Amino acid sequence: MTDLLFRDIDVLDGTGAPRVRADVLVSDGRIAQLTGPGALRTEVPAVAVAPGSVLAPGFIDMHAHSDLHLLTEPGHFPKVSQGVTTEVIGQDGLSYAPIDEPTLAVLRRQIAGWNGNPTDLDFAWRTVAEYLDRLDQGITPNAAYLVPQGTLRLMVVGSEKRDATRAEIDRMRELLAQGLREGAVGMSSGLTYTPGMYADTAELAALCEVVADFDGFYAPHTRSYGAGALEAYAEMIELSRRTGCALHLTHATMNFGVNRGRAGEFLALVDAARADGCDITLDTYPYLPGSTTLSALLPSWAMSGGPDAALARLDDPAERARIAHDVDVAGSDGCHGVTVEWETIQISGVGDPDLADRVGSTVADLAAAAGVAPVEVFFDLLRRDQLATTILQHVGHEENVRAIMAHPGHMGGSDALLVGARPHPRAWGTFPRYLGRYARDLGVLEPAECVHHLTGRPAQRLRLRDRGLVRAGYAADLVVFDPETVLDTATFENPKQQARGIQHVIVNGEFAIRDGAPTGRLAGRALRRADTGTAPVSGVGRLEVRR
């Protein structure tokens, strides 16, 4: 491993402190020395950096959907080119470990719109430990994993909409504990996605007790970001109070017309709980539209039984009429309790190439062109694409986005789906957009504070003892960027565009990006919990890298 020297460079160290001028020496994958400019004596040649560049810790993506992309495209250019050196995967309650054969078959279809469904990938793992070992075979960024609550329910209870029995809850607790012992950092839920959304508060509390025992954190996609959003957040906060489990509110937003300008009400709930001693943090993406699957808009009862049962309902006239009433009149729980506004639903990707001409259009546009009701386009796409269609939902509000990102518990998370012809531009632009648009151009965050939101603060949430800061002895996950030019270039029309201003990205002491180009080095690792017991351990250091 080659030593690296950054000579006389501005450093934003990840603590939120103002930049300082320094020499930084990297050796054997770690920051070996950090001195005043010109004070470091070494024969190591200095890395060439553009004038005005800043050295910072590598960015930590607190909400990534790269569970398969890391394996099929280990270079992971869309994310690493933004300066991302660590991702948190296993999000929204649905992922691929732990798993069994029947559950894997369902999941590969159900979340194909999130991760694709590669036919040439060997899904040989079954446990969390085996999945993390598979990541260790070669990835570019580091990755930490959350045990997905919906997958646990699918394995133990199945796809049906019903309460879990006591024995089933005990089995889910056992599987969760095993995953945490094997290195997962916490648990996620997707409470507008089946079957995770079928769990009541008591069932979630039983699982959060296990997470708390391991000193992990719970990252829920709440039951609503639309109608009832505040009640949904309050449910999660009460879970944290009741169980003592650390809570991380992922992609925290207040969306749809019912929540315009209401971020302050949400933040007041968070602040009151934090003042009472609850360990609560949150992440957001710096965009207004969201992104998910078209099938997510279905009411939860329509997905009961899994993908085949849902498709069968779409072929039943009576069931179609019932679904149409929920999405157009009553408000679907899959659409956060609001009626679907079809002009806000834009097709971003399809599984069937024959449907590629739909990409980029809204459901309302497609309906107008065909002379049919939008719900009929909805049904047709779901059936023909076998539920694999992905969408953008243009339902956010700028004032809410800015208010939430300024909160002292805030961190950055892309929530990026990397599949589809026109994915959400956050897949390529989240972190440069924070630094360029929201910090430099709009002043929502000071640059040093913005870097803290993207580095030191998430490292603390993950209990990383040696990452997230530019500090001697820490792992050399670093990014060199130009604060005057850094900016996202990805757009909704042309989303697969590399950002500007990111010159070098270093993972575990090796260049992943050098002078803006990928190096092909696979220096990333799975970040695991160091402790293997069931009792919480005090202190900051809780994760390790297996070499």
Side-chain angles (χ1 to χ4, degrees):
M1 185 176 293
T2 303
D3 290 354
L4 306 175
L5 172 64
F6 295 91
R7 177 74 78 184
D8 195 17
I9 190 170
D10 280 340
V11 175
L12 286 172
D13 67 2
T15 66
R19 67 176 73 179
V20 296
R21 201 78 175 170
D23 291 349
V24 181
L25 178 66
V26 171
S27 182
D28 195 27
R30 295 197 167 268
I31 300 170
Q33 295 186 59
L34 182 66
T35 72
L40 203 156
R41 304 302 180 211
T42 178
E43 296 182 359
V44 176
V47 175
V49 298
S53 293
V54 167
L55 179 71
F59 306 135
I60 298 174
D61 188 343
M62 286 298 294
H63 190 102
H65 287 283
S66 308
D67 308 48
L68 299 186
H69 195 268
L70 284 166
L71 302 179
T72 59
E73 301 288 342
H76 211 39
F77 186 67
K79 300 301 284 297
V80 178
S81 64
Q82 299 180 49
V84 172
T85 58
T86 295
E87 293 190 310
V88 185
I89 55 177
Q91 299 284 357
D92 290 339
L94 293 168
S95 189
Y96 306 90
I99 204 74
D100 56 27
E101 201 67 32
T103 304
L104 178 61
V106 173
L107 274 178
R108 288 183 63 174
R109 295 181 61 198
Q110 182 172 339
I111 55 176
W114 292 3
N115 299 304
N117 187 11
T119 58
D120 56 348
L121 178 63
D122 182 8
F123 290 82
W125 66 86
R126 290 297 176 265
T127 66
V128 170
E130 291 168 348
Y131 175 68
L132 297 180
D133 286 345
R134 177 66 179 81
L135 294 175
D136 276 340
Q137 292 178 22
I139 53 178
T140 299
N142 305 303
Y145 188 73
L146 297 166
V147 177
Q149 171 258 330
T151 299
L152 298 180
R153 203 174 208 275
L154 190 57
M155 290 176 67
V156 175
V157 181
S159 300
E160 294 75 25
K161 184 179 183 179
R162 66 171 177 84
D163 292 339
T165 66
R166 182 69 253 179
E168 289 168 338
I169 291 174
D170 287 344
R171 178 57 180 152
M172 286 188 280
R173 283 167 57 95
E174 291 172 1
L175 289 169
L176 173 58
Q178 178 182 343
L180 292 164
R181 275 192 296 270
E182 292 173 348
V185 299
M187 180 181 76
S188 74
S189 285
L191 300 177
T192 65
Y193 300 122
T194 60
M197 68 190 303
Y198 301 148
D200 62 16
T201 307
E203 179 180 326
L204 295 175
L207 296 174
C208 284
E209 290 170 356
V210 177
V211 179
D213 283 344
F214 281 84
D215 202 20
F217 67 93
Y218 178 40
H221 166 127
T222 68
R223 297 192 194 274
S224 176
Y225 296 95
L230 292 177
E231 292 80 2
Y233 284 123
E235 179 194 12
M236 298 299 102
I237 291 170
E238 181 57 31
L239 270 178
S240 180
R241 291 182 190 273
R242 174 177 167 185
T243 65
C245 184
L247 178 66
H248 182 75
L249 296 169
T250 195
H251 48 52
T253 59
M254 293 287 287
N255 284 340
F256 303 92
V258 295
N259 288 319
R260 184 181 300 276
R262 299 184 68 188
E265 297 173 62
F266 159 58
L267 296 175
L269 288 176
V270 172
D271 288 341
R274 283 163 60 99
D276 288 344
C278 293
D279 183 0
I280 301 177
T281 54
L282 55 94
D283 69 63
T284 68
Y285 48 83
Y287 296 86
L288 302 188
S291 179
T292 187
T293 58
L294 186 65
S295 62
L297 304 181
L298 287 166
S300 60
W301 64 262
M303 285 295 293
S304 179
D308 286 333
L311 289 167
R313 291 184 180 101
L314 296 177
D315 287 331
D316 183 315
E319 298 283 64
R320 284 164 62 100
R322 184 182 171 195
I323 294 169
H325 181 268
D326 276 3
V327 298
D328 277 343
V329 180
S332 168
D333 54 1
C335 193
H336 306 271
V338 303
T339 56
V340 180
E341 298 169 341
W342 299 109
E343 67 275 10
T344 70
I345 307 301
Q346 184 179 20
I347 308 304
S348 60
V350 293
D352 183 350
D354 290 340
L355 299 172
D357 61 341
R358 274 69 166 177
V359 173
S361 296
T362 67
V363 172
D365 289 339
L366 293 171
V372 299
V375 73
E376 294 303 322
V377 172
F378 175 58
F379 289 146
D380 182 63
L381 277 171
L382 291 173
R383 294 169 67 196
R384 293 182 61 185
D385 209 23
Q386 294 290 292
L387 311 182
T389 307
T390 54
I391 60 171
L392 303 179
Q393 281 186 282
H394 295 268
V395 292
H397 307 292
E398 182 70 23
E399 68 275 23
N400 288 346
V401 168
R402 296 190 194 188
I404 293 170
M405 75 167 61
H407 189 268
H410 170 267
M411 306 165 198
S414 70
D415 193 16
L417 304 182
L418 295 165
V419 300
R422 285 175 58 171
H424 197 300
R426 64 193 182 194
W428 289 77
T430 291
F431 294 87
R433 186 173 178 85
Y434 265 117
L435 295 165
R437 172 173 168 78
Y438 284 98
R440 182 191 62 233
D441 297 343
L442 297 178
V444 177
L445 297 168
E446 290 295 323
E449 181 66 12
C450 185
V451 169
H452 177 52
H453 282 226
L454 307 181
T455 60
R457 189 176 289 167
Q460 186 177 25
R461 169 80 287 165
L462 292 169
R463 305 194 189 281
L464 292 162
R465 60 169 170 256
D466 60 355
R467 293 173 195 270
L469 302 177
V470 181
R471 181 169 292 175
Y474 274 48
D477 293 344
L478 302 166
V479 58
V480 175
F481 68 93
D482 183 344
E484 297 303 317
T485 64
V486 65
L487 192 66
D488 58 305
T489 64
T491 65
F492 290 100
E493 294 72 27
N494 195 5
K496 298 180 181 181
Q497 299 297 311
Q498 182 177 357
R500 293 198 301 263
I502 306 288
Q503 184 180 6
H504 302 309
V505 181
I506 296 160
V507 180
N508 293 316
E510 299 192 39
F511 280 106
I513 301 290
R514 188 163 194 170
D515 293 319
T519 65
R521 301 294 296 171
L522 303 178
R525 299 289 186 271
L527 304 181
R528 296 169 169 83
R529 294 179 63 257
D531 176 55
T532 57
T534 59
V537 178
S538 62
V540 174
R542 303 287 291 121
L543 297 190
E544 66 180 355
V545 180
R546 182 172 297 175
R547 298 290 181 183

